[in-house]
Amino acid sequence: MSPFRRIAKPVCLTVTAAMLALTLHLPAANAALVSTEAVLHSTQAQHDISRVHDALNRDDVKTQLEALGVDSNLVQARVDALSDDEAQQLAQRLDQMPAGAGIIEILLFVFILLLITDLLGLTNVFPFTKKGALHR
């Protein structure tokens, strides 16, 4: 028996075992078509969230939030956590308000939204709420 045959058989078995091991541990890739509506909906949701962020980054809004005792960083984090429908509703409210007016309504809406999520135990914005009070 030649030295090549003595080495070739264990090498072939090792390579075969390695290839088998690689195919067993790799997850299957799933490819699917993405509809135009899904892409547009995702883009619109990102646009709505950026519009809400822009409105909340105004100096007068930040001042009013601080007067209500709300940390603007927590508000920004909560806006990031909004669902697409919630972001769309909030952006529509921004569209319906006259320019320069209605900021109190937006702040009140955000305050109530944060208060409800705080009562549900989803956020920890207000120290005066009992966490999970609505679940009892």
Side-chain angles (χ1 to χ4, degrees):
M1 190 181 225
S2 73
F4 176 73
R5 285 193 176 230
R6 259 187 290 168
I7 296 173
K9 189 171 183 178
V11 169
C12 283
L13 289 175
T14 305
V15 169
T16 303
M19 294 291 281
L20 182 61
L22 284 175
T23 59
L24 292 177
H25 294 294
L26 293 177
N30 294 324
L33 293 175
V34 178
S35 68
T36 305
E37 292 83 20
V39 172
L40 289 176
H41 184 67
S42 173
T43 305
Q44 182 64 36
Q46 290 300 320
H47 178 70
D48 291 340
I49 289 174
S50 69
R51 287 185 52 231
V52 172
H53 275 297
D54 291 342
L56 291 172
N57 284 332
R58 292 180 21 198
D59 290 333
D60 57 339
V61 175
K62 285 184 179 182
T63 304
Q64 187 67 29
L65 285 172
E66 288 173 5
L68 291 171
V70 179
D71 183 20
S72 62
N73 293 332
L74 293 175
V75 172
Q76 297 293 345
R78 180 60 188 130
V79 169
D80 288 336
L82 289 175
S83 70
D84 293 344
D85 293 332
E86 291 170 334
Q88 182 183 20
Q89 288 174 0
L90 197 53
Q92 284 175 351
R93 287 185 149 225
L94 287 173
D95 287 338
Q96 293 171 355
M97 294 183 190
I103 197 68
I104 300 301
E105 288 88 4
I106 291 174
L107 290 175
L108 185 62
F109 176 75
V110 169
F111 177 77
I112 291 172
L113 182 70
L114 288 171
L115 183 64
I116 290 171
T117 58
D118 219 25
L119 289 172
L120 290 173
L122 300 174
T123 59
N124 188 13
V125 178
F126 303 111
F128 58 84
T129 60
K130 293 180 181 176
K131 307 303 176 225
L134 294 180
H135 284 284
R136 293 180 189 178

